[in-house]
Amino acid sequence: MRVSAGIVLHRSTGGSVEVLLGHMGGPYWARKDAGAWTIPKGEYEPDEDPLAAARREFDEEIGVPVPATEFVDLGEVRQSGGKVVRAWAARLDDLADFDPSQAVGNTFELEWPPRSGRTQAFPELDRIAWFDLESAREVIITGQRELLDRLASQLGPSEHSRSDVSRAPTPERRRPGPAATPPVPSPGRPGGSTRQHPPAGARGRRS
C-alpha cells in the first residue's frame, strides 16, 4: 500500500482561513485546474516517522522548511487511486518570512514527447498558491477534501485550536533535487506563483 505524509499549511487573513496548495506538475496536469491541486506531500518508508517525513516532503516540494512549529494531526484519507495520505495542519508562524512566489522545489524526469527518446525535467509542483477553504475544495484532489473539513473543525469559530498539538524536531534535510525553472508571477490568482508550464498530453509522476 502506498502511503504519503503531508502538511496542510494555513493562515488567517481578513477573518478567513487560507490553505497552501500546489498544482501538480507534468504534461498531464498542465491544462487542468479542478482536482489538480494537492497539499505538499510525499511517500515515506514504513520505518520513517510520518510527521518527520511530512516536514521533509514540504521542504523538498516547496523549497523551504515548514514555516511553523506546531502540528495538529488530521489523520488519514484515501485517494481514489488507493494511496493513503496522512496529514498534519500547521499554522503559518506570525513572524515567518514565507513568500510562495519564491518557491522552487524538486523536479522529476519524464520522456516527453512520448516515444521521442528525449527526457525532460518537470517540477513536482508548478504553481503554489493560497486558497480560502471554499475555493480550495473546488480545486484540491477529491480524496483530500476531507482534510479541509477536518481542519475547519479543528479551528472552530475562533479560527485556531491548540488541541492535539505536537511539536517535532526538524527532520534531517536531504540534498535537494535540481532546481525548477525560476517562478514567474501569475496574473491569474492572487497570492500564488507560476513556474514554467509543460505541454499537455502525458501523465506526470504524481497522482
Side-chain angles (χ1 to χ4, degrees):
M1 179 177 63
R2 300 168 62 199
V3 182
S4 289
I7 298 292
V8 184
L9 185 67
H10 62 94
R11 68 179 184 181
S12 295
T13 58
S16 66
V17 176
E18 295 182 336
V19 294
L20 189 76
L21 301 179
H23 183 270
M24 292 181 285
Y28 175 77
W29 302 104
R31 299 185 183 276
K32 298 179 183 293
D33 196 52
W37 294 75
T38 178
I39 65 171
K41 63 177 179 60
E43 295 183 11
Y44 64 96
E45 299 299 326
D47 59 346
E48 286 188 88
D49 175 70
L51 177 54
R55 298 181 70 184
R56 181 196 69 230
E57 293 297 327
F58 185 100
D59 190 342
E60 293 183 353
E61 294 198 342
I62 305 300
V64 297
V66 184
T69 55
E70 297 182 342
F71 301 85
V72 179
D73 192 348
L74 297 178
E76 296 180 345
V77 295
R78 185 182 295 274
Q79 298 181 174
S80 59
K83 176 183 287 186
V84 173
V85 178
R86 184 172 178 184
W88 281 261
R91 186 186 181 97
L92 179 69
D93 285 342
D94 292 338
L95 300 179
D97 182 16
F98 177 69
D99 182 0
S101 69
Q102 301 302 313
V104 178
N106 278 355
T107 62
F108 67 94
E109 292 188 346
L110 178 71
E111 183 183 8
W112 183 254
R115 297 180 295 278
S116 66
R118 293 184 295 167
T119 299
Q120 296 189 42
F122 299 99
E124 293 272 10
L125 301 176
D126 58 26
R127 279 177 279 164
I128 308 295
W130 291 103
F131 292 84
D132 60 51
L133 290 178
E134 181 178 354
S135 299
R137 286 182 57 84
E138 296 175 359
V139 300
I140 200 170
I141 296 174
T142 303
Q144 295 181 20
R145 288 178 184 168
E146 176 64 23
L147 295 174
L148 303 180
D149 296 338
R150 295 176 190 175
L151 172 64
S153 178
Q154 283 282 351
L155 296 177
S158 65
E159 296 187 356
H160 186 60
S161 171
R162 292 186 178 274
S163 60
D164 299 325
V165 171
S166 61
R167 294 179 180 269
T170 302
E172 182 180 352
R173 296 180 61 184
R174 294 177 178 174
R175 183 181 181 86
T181 304
V184 177
S186 169
R189 291 183 181 272
S193 65
T194 303
R195 301 196 188 97
Q196 182 179 5
H197 269 233
R203 183 179 297 273
R205 188 175 66 139
R206 296 181 58 87
S207 60

